[in-house]
mmCIF file of all heavy atoms in Angstrom:
data_model
loop_
_atom_site.group_PDB
_atom_site.id
_atom_site.type_symbol
_atom_site.label_atom_id
_atom_site.label_comp_id
_atom_site.label_asym_id
_atom_site.label_seq_id
_atom_site.Cartn_x
_atom_site.Cartn_y
_atom_site.Cartn_z
ATOM 1 N N PHE A 79 5.550 106.561 -8.196
ATOM 2 C CA PHE A 79 6.051 106.930 -9.539
ATOM 3 C C PHE A 79 5.790 105.858 -10.595
ATOM 4 O O PHE A 79 6.111 106.025 -11.755
ATOM 5 C CB PHE A 79 7.617 107.190 -9.456
ATOM 6 C CG PHE A 79 7.964 108.337 -8.621
ATOM 7 C CD1 PHE A 79 8.456 108.121 -7.285
ATOM 8 C CD2 PHE A 79 7.808 109.675 -9.038
ATOM 9 C CE1 PHE A 79 8.810 109.249 -6.521
ATOM 10 C CE2 PHE A 79 8.145 110.738 -8.196
ATOM 11 C CZ PHE A 79 8.636 110.542 -6.928
ATOM 12 N N GLY A 80 5.233 104.697 -10.193
ATOM 13 C CA GLY A 80 4.777 103.771 -11.166
ATOM 14 C C GLY A 80 5.772 102.881 -11.781
ATOM 15 O O GLY A 80 5.540 102.350 -12.872
ATOM 16 N N TYR A 81 7.009 102.740 -11.198
ATOM 17 C CA TYR A 81 8.001 101.889 -11.828
ATOM 18 C C TYR A 81 7.895 100.406 -11.347
ATOM 19 O O TYR A 81 8.643 99.537 -11.833
ATOM 20 C CB TYR A 81 9.406 102.386 -11.634
ATOM 21 C CG TYR A 81 9.816 102.538 -10.192
ATOM 22 C CD1 TYR A 81 10.193 101.453 -9.400
ATOM 23 C CD2 TYR A 81 9.864 103.834 -9.590
ATOM 24 C CE1 TYR A 81 10.619 101.649 -8.101
ATOM 25 C CE2 TYR A 81 10.277 104.004 -8.312
ATOM 26 C CZ TYR A 81 10.610 102.895 -7.536
ATOM 27 O OH TYR A 81 11.025 103.057 -6.245
ATOM 28 N N LEU A 82 7.014 100.107 -10.373
ATOM 29 C CA LEU A 82 6.882 98.769 -9.973
ATOM 30 C C LEU A 82 6.246 97.864 -11.062
ATOM 31 O O LEU A 82 6.513 96.667 -11.207
ATOM 32 C CB LEU A 82 6.017 98.685 -8.736
ATOM 33 C CG LEU A 82 6.661 99.236 -7.467
ATOM 34 C CD1 LEU A 82 5.697 99.052 -6.223
ATOM 35 C CD2 LEU A 82 7.988 98.496 -7.147
ATOM 36 N N GLY A 83 5.383 98.509 -11.899
ATOM 37 C CA GLY A 83 4.801 97.756 -13.019
ATOM 38 C C GLY A 83 5.819 97.332 -14.004
ATOM 39 O O GLY A 83 5.790 96.174 -14.523
ATOM 40 N N PHE A 84 6.801 98.188 -14.237
ATOM 41 C CA PHE A 84 7.895 97.806 -15.113
ATOM 42 C C PHE A 84 8.683 96.631 -14.579
ATOM 43 O O PHE A 84 9.007 95.691 -15.334
ATOM 44 C CB PHE A 84 8.848 99.004 -15.375
ATOM 45 C CG PHE A 84 10.131 98.676 -16.060
ATOM 46 C CD1 PHE A 84 10.175 98.432 -17.413
ATOM 47 C CD2 PHE A 84 11.287 98.566 -15.286
ATOM 48 C CE1 PHE A 84 11.382 98.121 -18.057
ATOM 49 C CE2 PHE A 84 12.521 98.227 -15.892
ATOM 50 C CZ PHE A 84 12.523 98.062 -17.270
ATOM 51 N N LEU A 85 9.012 96.696 -13.267
ATOM 52 C CA LEU A 85 9.740 95.557 -12.660
ATOM 53 C C LEU A 85 8.892 94.285 -12.729
ATOM 54 O O LEU A 85 9.485 93.225 -12.988
ATOM 55 C CB LEU A 85 10.042 95.910 -11.230
ATOM 56 C CG LEU A 85 11.125 96.975 -11.016
ATOM 57 C CD1 LEU A 85 11.297 97.283 -9.536
ATOM 58 C CD2 LEU A 85 12.453 96.623 -11.669
ATOM 59 N N ARG A 86 7.588 94.379 -12.527
ATOM 60 C CA ARG A 86 6.723 93.205 -12.591
ATOM 61 C C ARG A 86 6.758 92.596 -14.013
ATOM 62 O O ARG A 86 6.860 91.382 -14.124
ATOM 63 C CB ARG A 86 5.326 93.544 -12.200
ATOM 64 C CG ARG A 86 4.400 92.381 -12.120
ATOM 65 C CD ARG A 86 2.931 92.762 -11.787
ATOM 66 N NE ARG A 86 2.393 93.578 -12.894
ATOM 67 C CZ ARG A 86 2.122 94.817 -12.747
ATOM 68 N NH1 ARG A 86 2.323 95.487 -11.602
ATOM 69 N NH2 ARG A 86 1.582 95.559 -13.783
ATOM 70 N N ASP A 87 6.678 93.451 -15.000
ATOM 71 C CA ASP A 87 6.675 92.915 -16.352
ATOM 72 C C ASP A 87 8.058 92.331 -16.730
ATOM 73 O O ASP A 87 8.144 91.276 -17.429
ATOM 74 C CB ASP A 87 6.366 94.064 -17.356
ATOM 75 C CG ASP A 87 4.982 94.593 -17.194
ATOM 76 O OD1 ASP A 87 4.093 93.836 -16.582
ATOM 77 O OD2 ASP A 87 4.692 95.754 -17.565
ATOM 78 N N TRP A 88 9.165 92.963 -16.191
ATOM 79 C CA TRP A 88 10.472 92.439 -16.496
ATOM 80 C C TRP A 88 10.686 91.098 -15.839
ATOM 81 O O TRP A 88 11.194 90.163 -16.484
ATOM 82 C CB TRP A 88 11.513 93.444 -16.049
ATOM 83 C CG TRP A 88 12.892 92.983 -16.271
ATOM 84 C CD1 TRP A 88 13.586 92.986 -17.462
ATOM 85 C CD2 TRP A 88 13.835 92.427 -15.314
ATOM 86 N NE1 TRP A 88 14.865 92.511 -17.325
ATOM 87 C CE2 TRP A 88 15.014 92.171 -16.025
ATOM 88 C CE3 TRP A 88 13.724 92.107 -13.996
ATOM 89 C CZ2 TRP A 88 16.131 91.567 -15.375
ATOM 90 C CZ3 TRP A 88 14.819 91.629 -13.329
ATOM 91 C CH2 TRP A 88 16.053 91.303 -14.041
ATOM 92 N N LEU A 89 10.284 90.936 -14.590
ATOM 93 C CA LEU A 89 10.375 89.655 -13.882
ATOM 94 C C LEU A 89 9.519 88.617 -14.510
ATOM 95 O O LEU A 89 9.849 87.441 -14.540
ATOM 96 C CB LEU A 89 10.076 89.836 -12.415
ATOM 97 C CG LEU A 89 11.085 90.620 -11.555
ATOM 98 C CD1 LEU A 89 10.602 90.788 -10.162
ATOM 99 C CD2 LEU A 89 12.488 89.934 -11.603
ATOM 100 N N GLY A 90 8.264 89.059 -15.008
ATOM 101 C CA GLY A 90 7.397 88.118 -15.637
ATOM 102 C C GLY A 90 7.962 87.568 -16.923
ATOM 103 O O GLY A 90 7.746 86.377 -17.252
ATOM 104 N N ALA A 91 8.749 88.397 -17.637
ATOM 105 C CA ALA A 91 9.355 87.943 -18.910
ATOM 106 C C ALA A 91 10.584 87.138 -18.690
ATOM 107 O O ALA A 91 11.071 86.437 -19.589
ATOM 108 C CB ALA A 91 9.614 89.141 -19.807
ATOM 109 N N LEU A 92 11.195 87.239 -17.501
ATOM 110 C CA LEU A 92 12.416 86.532 -17.202
ATOM 111 C C LEU A 92 12.026 85.108 -16.758
ATOM 112 O O LEU A 92 11.468 84.880 -15.691
ATOM 113 C CB LEU A 92 13.121 87.239 -16.070
ATOM 114 C CG LEU A 92 14.499 86.673 -15.644
ATOM 115 C CD1 LEU A 92 15.479 86.804 -16.836
ATOM 116 C CD2 LEU A 92 15.036 87.364 -14.469
ATOM 117 N N ASN A 93 12.411 84.215 -17.607
ATOM 118 C CA ASN A 93 12.032 82.765 -17.324
ATOM 119 C C ASN A 93 13.303 81.927 -17.480
ATOM 120 O O ASN A 93 13.570 81.377 -18.537
ATOM 121 C CB ASN A 93 10.908 82.305 -18.245
ATOM 122 C CG ASN A 93 10.458 80.882 -17.845
ATOM 123 O OD1 ASN A 93 10.717 80.396 -16.783
ATOM 124 N ND2 ASN A 93 9.704 80.287 -18.746
ATOM 125 N N ILE A 94 14.090 81.887 -16.454
ATOM 126 C CA ILE A 94 15.343 81.107 -16.484
ATOM 127 C C ILE A 94 14.969 79.619 -16.440
ATOM 128 O O ILE A 94 14.129 79.220 -15.578
ATOM 129 C CB ILE A 94 16.242 81.521 -15.301
ATOM 130 C CG1 ILE A 94 16.564 82.950 -15.385
ATOM 131 C CG2 ILE A 94 17.515 80.675 -15.283
ATOM 132 C CD1 ILE A 94 17.337 83.528 -14.178
ATOM 133 N N TRP A 95 15.604 78.830 -17.223
ATOM 134 C CA TRP A 95 15.219 77.415 -17.323
ATOM 135 C C TRP A 95 16.435 76.532 -17.079
ATOM 136 O O TRP A 95 17.501 76.742 -17.644
ATOM 137 C CB TRP A 95 14.565 77.112 -18.655
ATOM 138 C CG TRP A 95 14.175 75.655 -18.760
ATOM 139 C CD1 TRP A 95 12.970 75.153 -18.313
ATOM 140 C CD2 TRP A 95 14.880 74.584 -19.274
ATOM 141 N NE1 TRP A 95 12.897 73.772 -18.555
ATOM 142 C CE2 TRP A 95 14.086 73.417 -19.133
ATOM 143 C CE3 TRP A 95 16.143 74.467 -19.884
ATOM 144 C CZ2 TRP A 95 14.524 72.157 -19.565
ATOM 145 C CZ3 TRP A 95 16.575 73.180 -20.291
ATOM 146 C CH2 TRP A 95 15.760 72.056 -20.140
ATOM 147 N N MET A 96 16.281 75.537 -16.234
ATOM 148 C CA MET A 96 17.260 74.474 -16.067
ATOM 149 C C MET A 96 16.536 73.160 -15.977
ATOM 150 O O MET A 96 15.359 73.102 -15.462
ATOM 151 C CB MET A 96 18.071 74.677 -14.738
ATOM 152 C CG MET A 96 19.096 75.827 -14.786
ATOM 153 S SD MET A 96 18.359 77.409 -14.341
ATOM 154 C CE MET A 96 18.213 77.287 -12.585
ATOM 155 N N ASN A 97 17.117 72.104 -16.516
ATOM 156 C CA ASN A 97 16.451 70.805 -16.534
ATOM 157 C C ASN A 97 16.647 70.103 -15.179
ATOM 158 O O ASN A 97 17.351 70.637 -14.283
ATOM 159 C CB ASN A 97 16.912 69.940 -17.694
ATOM 160 C CG ASN A 97 18.445 69.668 -17.572
ATOM 161 O OD1 ASN A 97 19.086 69.989 -16.609
ATOM 162 N ND2 ASN A 97 18.980 69.070 -18.574
ATOM 163 N N ASP A 98 16.054 68.995 -15.014
ATOM 164 C CA ASP A 98 16.140 68.290 -13.734
ATOM 165 C C ASP A 98 17.500 67.799 -13.365
ATOM 166 O O ASP A 98 17.808 67.728 -12.203
ATOM 167 C CB ASP A 98 15.104 67.085 -13.765
ATOM 168 C CG ASP A 98 15.488 66.088 -14.865
ATOM 169 O OD1 ASP A 98 16.143 66.492 -15.845
ATOM 170 O OD2 ASP A 98 15.048 64.904 -14.719
ATOM 171 N N SER A 99 18.308 67.557 -14.407
ATOM 172 C CA SER A 99 19.710 67.109 -14.132
ATOM 173 C C SER A 99 20.470 68.215 -13.363
ATOM 174 O O SER A 99 21.356 67.897 -12.500
ATOM 175 C CB SER A 99 20.423 66.721 -15.389
ATOM 176 O OG SER A 99 19.768 65.691 -16.077
ATOM 177 N N PHE A 100 20.218 69.430 -13.717
ATOM 178 C CA PHE A 100 20.881 70.529 -13.045
ATOM 179 C C PHE A 100 20.547 70.515 -11.541
ATOM 180 O O PHE A 100 21.451 70.589 -10.653
ATOM 181 C CB PHE A 100 20.578 71.840 -13.676
ATOM 182 C CG PHE A 100 21.078 73.033 -12.905
ATOM 183 C CD1 PHE A 100 22.326 73.544 -13.041
ATOM 184 C CD2 PHE A 100 20.193 73.723 -11.981
ATOM 185 C CE1 PHE A 100 22.775 74.653 -12.358
ATOM 186 C CE2 PHE A 100 20.613 74.854 -11.266
ATOM 187 C CZ PHE A 100 21.911 75.290 -11.451
ATOM 188 N N TYR A 101 19.258 70.410 -11.241
ATOM 189 C CA TYR A 101 18.844 70.452 -9.897
ATOM 190 C C TYR A 101 19.327 69.228 -9.072
ATOM 191 O O TYR A 101 19.737 69.363 -7.909
ATOM 192 C CB TYR A 101 17.282 70.531 -9.797
ATOM 193 C CG TYR A 101 16.749 71.757 -10.391
ATOM 194 C CD1 TYR A 101 15.882 71.737 -11.537
ATOM 195 C CD2 TYR A 101 17.047 73.055 -9.904
ATOM 196 C CE1 TYR A 101 15.391 72.907 -12.074
ATOM 197 C CE2 TYR A 101 16.515 74.189 -10.474
ATOM 198 C CZ TYR A 101 15.715 74.121 -11.565
ATOM 199 O OH TYR A 101 15.153 75.260 -12.080
ATOM 200 N N TRP A 102 19.313 68.076 -9.715
ATOM 201 C CA TRP A 102 19.836 66.887 -9.002
ATOM 202 C C TRP A 102 21.350 67.008 -8.782
ATOM 203 O O TRP A 102 21.839 66.614 -7.717
ATOM 204 C CB TRP A 102 19.593 65.663 -9.915
ATOM 205 C CG TRP A 102 18.238 65.116 -9.832
ATOM 206 C CD1 TRP A 102 17.337 64.972 -10.862
ATOM 207 C CD2 TRP A 102 17.553 64.624 -8.660
ATOM 208 N NE1 TRP A 102 16.158 64.403 -10.424
ATOM 209 C CE2 TRP A 102 16.280 64.200 -9.071
ATOM 210 C CE3 TRP A 102 17.902 64.476 -7.316
ATOM 211 C CZ2 TRP A 102 15.353 63.617 -8.176
ATOM 212 C CZ3 TRP A 102 16.996 63.948 -6.409
ATOM 213 C CH2 TRP A 102 15.702 63.532 -6.858
ATOM 214 N N ALA A 103 22.044 67.651 -9.724
ATOM 215 C CA ALA A 103 23.497 67.874 -9.524
ATOM 216 C C ALA A 103 23.787 68.776 -8.351
ATOM 217 O O ALA A 103 24.601 68.535 -7.486
ATOM 218 C CB ALA A 103 24.140 68.423 -10.789
ATOM 219 N N ILE A 104 23.006 69.909 -8.254
ATOM 220 C CA ILE A 104 23.162 70.874 -7.159
ATOM 221 C C ILE A 104 22.845 70.165 -5.828
ATOM 222 O O ILE A 104 23.532 70.317 -4.832
ATOM 223 C CB ILE A 104 22.268 72.071 -7.380
ATOM 224 C CG1 ILE A 104 22.769 72.871 -8.596
ATOM 225 C CG2 ILE A 104 22.306 72.948 -6.170
ATOM 226 C CD1 ILE A 104 24.187 73.434 -8.473
ATOM 227 N N PHE A 105 21.762 69.432 -5.821
ATOM 228 C CA PHE A 105 21.359 68.710 -4.577
ATOM 229 C C PHE A 105 22.438 67.711 -4.180
ATOM 230 O O PHE A 105 22.720 67.614 -2.990
ATOM 231 C CB PHE A 105 19.985 67.982 -4.784
ATOM 232 C CG PHE A 105 19.578 67.178 -3.637
ATOM 233 C CD1 PHE A 105 19.058 67.827 -2.490
ATOM 234 C CD2 PHE A 105 19.684 65.834 -3.670
ATOM 235 C CE1 PHE A 105 18.652 67.080 -1.391
ATOM 236 C CE2 PHE A 105 19.274 65.042 -2.564
ATOM 237 C CZ PHE A 105 18.742 65.675 -1.432
ATOM 238 N N GLY A 106 22.972 66.995 -5.125
ATOM 239 C CA GLY A 106 24.018 66.001 -4.825
ATOM 240 C C GLY A 106 25.276 66.646 -4.302
ATOM 241 O O GLY A 106 25.931 66.132 -3.368
ATOM 242 N N ILE A 107 25.684 67.783 -4.929
ATOM 243 C CA ILE A 107 26.909 68.476 -4.453
ATOM 244 C C ILE A 107 26.740 68.974 -3.040
ATOM 245 O O ILE A 107 27.623 68.730 -2.173
ATOM 246 C CB ILE A 107 27.209 69.622 -5.380
ATOM 247 C CG1 ILE A 107 27.663 69.113 -6.784
ATOM 248 C CG2 ILE A 107 28.269 70.554 -4.803
ATOM 249 C CD1 ILE A 107 27.759 70.230 -7.787
ATOM 250 N N PHE A 108 25.604 69.608 -2.693
ATOM 251 C CA PHE A 108 25.417 70.078 -1.353
ATOM 252 C C PHE A 108 25.296 68.903 -0.375
ATOM 253 O O PHE A 108 25.758 69.008 0.752
ATOM 254 C CB PHE A 108 24.135 70.946 -1.260
ATOM 255 C CG PHE A 108 24.379 72.378 -1.639
ATOM 256 C CD1 PHE A 108 23.838 72.934 -2.778
ATOM 257 C CD2 PHE A 108 25.223 73.155 -0.877
ATOM 258 C CE1 PHE A 108 24.055 74.287 -3.117
ATOM 259 C CE2 PHE A 108 25.474 74.501 -1.221
ATOM 260 C CZ PHE A 108 24.874 75.051 -2.385
ATOM 261 N N THR A 109 24.647 67.865 -0.813
ATOM 262 C CA THR A 109 24.560 66.664 0.067
ATOM 263 C C THR A 109 25.905 66.144 0.450
ATOM 264 O O THR A 109 26.231 65.809 1.589
ATOM 265 C CB THR A 109 23.743 65.542 -0.590
ATOM 266 O OG1 THR A 109 22.422 66.110 -0.833
ATOM 267 C CG2 THR A 109 23.590 64.379 0.351
ATOM 268 N N ALA A 110 26.837 66.011 -0.549
ATOM 269 C CA ALA A 110 28.173 65.503 -0.289
ATOM 270 C C ALA A 110 28.942 66.437 0.642
ATOM 271 O O ALA A 110 29.697 66.015 1.529
ATOM 272 C CB ALA A 110 28.914 65.363 -1.639
ATOM 273 N N ILE A 111 28.771 67.732 0.393
ATOM 274 C CA ILE A 111 29.480 68.724 1.305
ATOM 275 C C ILE A 111 28.951 68.608 2.747
ATOM 276 O O ILE A 111 29.707 68.633 3.673
ATOM 277 C CB ILE A 111 29.289 70.098 0.707
ATOM 278 C CG1 ILE A 111 30.080 70.310 -0.589
ATOM 279 C CG2 ILE A 111 29.769 71.172 1.743
ATOM 280 C CD1 ILE A 111 29.846 71.588 -1.256
ATOM 281 N N TYR A 112 27.629 68.457 2.861
ATOM 282 C CA TYR A 112 27.032 68.438 4.200
ATOM 283 C C TYR A 112 27.468 67.123 4.914
ATOM 284 O O TYR A 112 27.616 67.136 6.162
ATOM 285 C CB TYR A 112 25.511 68.481 4.137
ATOM 286 C CG TYR A 112 25.014 69.881 3.825
ATOM 287 C CD1 TYR A 112 23.793 70.090 3.296
ATOM 288 C CD2 TYR A 112 25.811 71.021 4.107
ATOM 289 C CE1 TYR A 112 23.325 71.408 3.013
ATOM 290 C CE2 TYR A 112 25.341 72.264 3.871
ATOM 291 C CZ TYR A 112 24.107 72.474 3.317
ATOM 292 O OH TYR A 112 23.658 73.739 3.047
ATOM 293 N N VAL A 113 27.621 66.095 4.180
ATOM 294 C CA VAL A 113 28.104 64.799 4.841
ATOM 295 C C VAL A 113 29.558 65.002 5.326
ATOM 296 O O VAL A 113 29.886 64.589 6.449
ATOM 297 C CB VAL A 113 28.032 63.621 3.827
ATOM 298 C CG1 VAL A 113 28.796 62.432 4.338
ATOM 299 C CG2 VAL A 113 26.585 63.273 3.506
#
């Protein structure tokens, strides 16, 4: 039915952005929990 192209375009336009501080914070939180 051709709706995969719509999903591909929608996902291609979706560009969620987080800076490096966010990723370091997540990594640090999980590290502390795992310890």
Side-chain angles (χ1 to χ4, degrees):
F79 296 103
Y81 58 76
L82 290 181
F84 168 78
L85 291 177
R86 183 184 66 249
D87 296 339
W88 180 77
L89 290 175
L92 184 65
N93 188 14
I94 302 174
W95 182 86
M96 288 85 77
N97 61 8
D98 60 337
S99 298
F100 171 83
Y101 298 116
W102 281 120
I104 294 297
F105 176 76
I107 290 172
F108 276 115
T109 300
I111 292 176
Y112 285 156
V113 169

